[in-house]
């Protein structure tokens, strides 16, 4: 088991670097008919990397005899897996292979440092072994992945918007999707993240009430501020027509609030 884990950990980083190289080549070099032929190396490399990533999570679960979700390293590893999976779904449903270099990058940034933070020395209380708590954590991390993808798309939208305003039609401008498509994709993933965070909050509240636990700490309550921002982004888009640049700013504000809330929650930021 230890030998298999060692091999998978050693393969994960090169596999994701190959994914970035394949998507980077498709974005910066391919064009015309060559771009059509260049879609498959990225998909194949991502499928291999995702397979290695999945196998690593499964073996960690077997080795630890629990879901590998509790430590910072395990959470980052699972978050990277969710980000890669969401990109694959996005590419399959919306033909976003030209965005692969940008949308796979967060998965790499999560997966690589997670390997240095893994460890199985963890004693869990019976309450934290509850299936409800596991569902709560999975829904939370899935919402983080969706918000991260939405933030990348929002940042790309603002980049394209600025280039259009300056009439700076460089290679990056020509290769990225149109503004309307970036706006719609950011809205879809932002809304999905909002639904997942609501589900996580409901499951968490049910778990706390069911097991008779104490209420939430101020740091944990801070996550509802993040949810409020993304709800405002969705509602203002629907009722006030705040699309495009305004919606992208809302999404990025929500993402930075999410990062801030998690740094505060885990004691990496003190107020």
């Amino acid at each position: 088991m230890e030998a298999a884990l060692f091999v998978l950990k050693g393969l994960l980083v090169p596999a994701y670097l190959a994914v970035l190289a394949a998507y980077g080549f498709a974005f910066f070099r391919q064009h015309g008919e060559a771009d059509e032929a260049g879609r498959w190396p990225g998909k194949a490399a991502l499928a291999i990397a995702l397979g290695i990533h999945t196998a690593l999570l499964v073996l960690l679960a077997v080795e630890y005899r629990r879901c590998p979700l509790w430590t910072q390293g395990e959470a980052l590893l699972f978050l990277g897996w969710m980000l890669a999976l969401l990109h694959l779904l996005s590419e399959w449903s919306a033909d976003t292979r030209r965005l692969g270099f940008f949308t796979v990058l967060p998965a790499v940034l999560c997966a690589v440092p997670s390997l240095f933070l893994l460890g199985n020395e963890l004693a869990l209380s019976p309450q934290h072994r509850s299936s409800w708590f596991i569902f709560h954590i999975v829904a939370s991390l899935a919402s983080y992945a969706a918000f991260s993808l939405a933030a990348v798309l929002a940042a790309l939208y603002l980049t394209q918007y600025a280039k259009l305003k300056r009439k700076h039609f460089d290679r990056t401008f020509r290769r990225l999707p149109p503004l309307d498509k970036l706006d719609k994709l950011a809205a879809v993933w932002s809304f999905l993240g909002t639904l997942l965070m609501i589900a996580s909050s409901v499951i968490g509240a049910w778990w706390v009430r069911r097991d008779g636990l104490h209420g939430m700490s101020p740091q944990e309550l801070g996550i509802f501020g993040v949810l409020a921002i993304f709800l405002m982004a969705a509602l203002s888009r629907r009722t006030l027509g705040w699309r495009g640049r305004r919606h992208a700013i809302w999404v990025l504000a929500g993402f930075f609030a999410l990062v801030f809330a998690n740094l505060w929650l885990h004691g990496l930021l003190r107020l």
Side-chain angles (χ1 to χ4, degrees), residues 153-173:
L153 293 165
L156 290 175
Y157 179 95
L158 293 177
T159 300
Q160 287 288 79
Y161 182 86
K163 289 178 180 291
L164 182 63
K165 283 293 184 181
R166 298 196 308 266
K167 301 187 186 307
H168 184 56
F169 307 124
D170 59 2
R171 175 178 293 182
T172 302
F173 182 90

Side-chain angles (χ1 to χ4, degrees), residues 6-135:
F6 180 79
V7 171
L8 289 173
K9 290 177 182 178
L11 290 175
L12 189 62
V13 174
Y16 272 119
L17 291 179
V19 174
L20 286 179
Y23 278 116
F25 181 77
F27 182 81
F28 293 106
R29 296 294 180 89
Q30 301 287 348
H31 58 85
E33 295 180 359
D35 179 62
E36 186 68 20
R39 69 162 67 183
W40 298 111
K43 279 187 175 181
L46 181 59
I48 293 171
L50 199 54
I52 295 171
H53 203 150
T54 304
L56 179 57
L57 285 170
V58 171
L59 286 185
L60 285 174
V62 174
E63 175 74 9
Y64 297 165
R65 297 182 181 180
R66 58 177 173 80
C67 291
L69 296 170
W70 311 114
T71 67
Q72 292 180 358
E74 293 163 10
L76 277 175
L77 188 66
F78 184 81
L79 180 58
W81 182 82
M82 282 298 307
L83 284 163
L85 182 63
L86 289 185
H87 164 77
L88 197 62
L89 292 174
S90 179
E91 182 172 341
W92 172 73
S93 62
D95 189 23
T96 57
R97 64 187 180 278
R98 283 193 172 187
L99 295 172
F101 180 79
F102 304 98
T103 53
V104 173
L105 185 59
V108 180
L109 295 178
C110 288
V112 173
S114 73
L115 298 177
F116 300 96
L117 299 173
L118 292 175
N120 63 351
E121 295 81 9
L122 185 64
L124 294 175
S125 65
Q127 292 88 353
H128 288 90
R129 292 182 180 274
S130 167
S131 57
W132 286 103
F133 187 62
I134 294 173
F135 294 150

Side-chain angles (χ1 to χ4, degrees), residues 70 77 177 206 221 252 263:
W70 311 114
L77 188 66
W206 170 257
L221 287 172
L252 287 176
L263 291 176

